[in-house]
Amino acid sequence: MISSIEANLKSFDLPEDYVKFLHEFDSAVLFRTLRQGGGCSILSPQLVIQYWKGYSIDHPYYIAWSSHSLGCICVDQDRLDSGNGYLTWFESMDPDNPIDIDLTFIEWLDKLIEHEGKEFWIPFHEEEE
């Protein structure tokens, strides 16, 4: 399965932890409720490609979408080997002011679960806790 993921996403430099996740699960929807909606969707390889083509972006690329605050978690390929994490947050309403999360995919996923789905990387969410 890894080879088909890599073949579909050959334009991207994929983080190992994200590839391992895709190998196990393909995609996921976390912390969505029937009454309040929201939640975070970890995109399948097909959706990564669809967003990439649909928005004509080549760098960074989307890997997760938040329905709660309408934004996306992206992999910043320039930071993959930095040792400090490589994720960046882009809010739909303010795409010119991304927030560097400085976590790997698995670190981000662990913290998302630890914070019960709250978007801990967005400054106003830190104040609510």
Side-chain angles (χ1 to χ4, degrees):
M1 173 115 180
I2 297 271
S3 61
S4 68
I5 292 169
E6 289 173 349
N8 286 336
L9 298 175
K10 65 182 178 186
S11 301
F12 306 109
D13 190 5
L14 297 172
E16 286 183 38
D17 56 346
Y18 180 60
V19 170
K20 286 179 184 177
F21 176 88
L22 292 176
H23 179 66
E24 291 289 322
F25 303 104
D26 186 60
S27 64
V29 176
L30 306 168
F31 301 103
R32 182 176 295 159
T33 64
L34 291 175
R35 293 170 71 214
Q36 296 176 340
C40 186
S41 299
I42 299 171
L43 304 177
S44 68
Q46 295 79 14
L47 282 176
V48 170
I49 292 168
Q50 187 176 355
Y51 278 118
W52 175 65
K53 288 180 178 177
Y55 292 104
S56 300
I57 59 167
D58 59 353
H59 174 62
Y61 58 88
Y62 304 170
I63 63 168
W65 174 259
S66 170
S67 297
H68 178 71
S69 59
L70 302 177
C72 58
I73 300 288
C74 298
V75 171
D76 185 339
Q77 292 173 327
D78 290 338
R79 293 176 32 228
L80 271 177
D81 298 319
S82 71
N84 296 321
Y86 50 77
L87 296 179
T88 299
W89 168 254
F90 284 90
E91 185 179 359
S92 297
M93 302 304 287
D94 192 12
D96 294 329
N97 292 306
I99 297 171
D100 288 339
I101 300 175
D102 294 329
L103 296 172
T104 66
F105 173 75
I106 293 299
E107 291 169 341
W108 169 80
L109 185 58
D110 286 345
K111 281 191 88 154
L112 181 69
I113 292 167
E114 179 183 312
H115 287 87
E116 299 175 345
K118 292 183 181 136
E119 296 164 321
F120 61 89
W121 59 90
I122 302 175
F124 69 86
H125 284 286
E126 290 175 4
E127 296 168 7
E128 292 176 358
E129 294 182 3

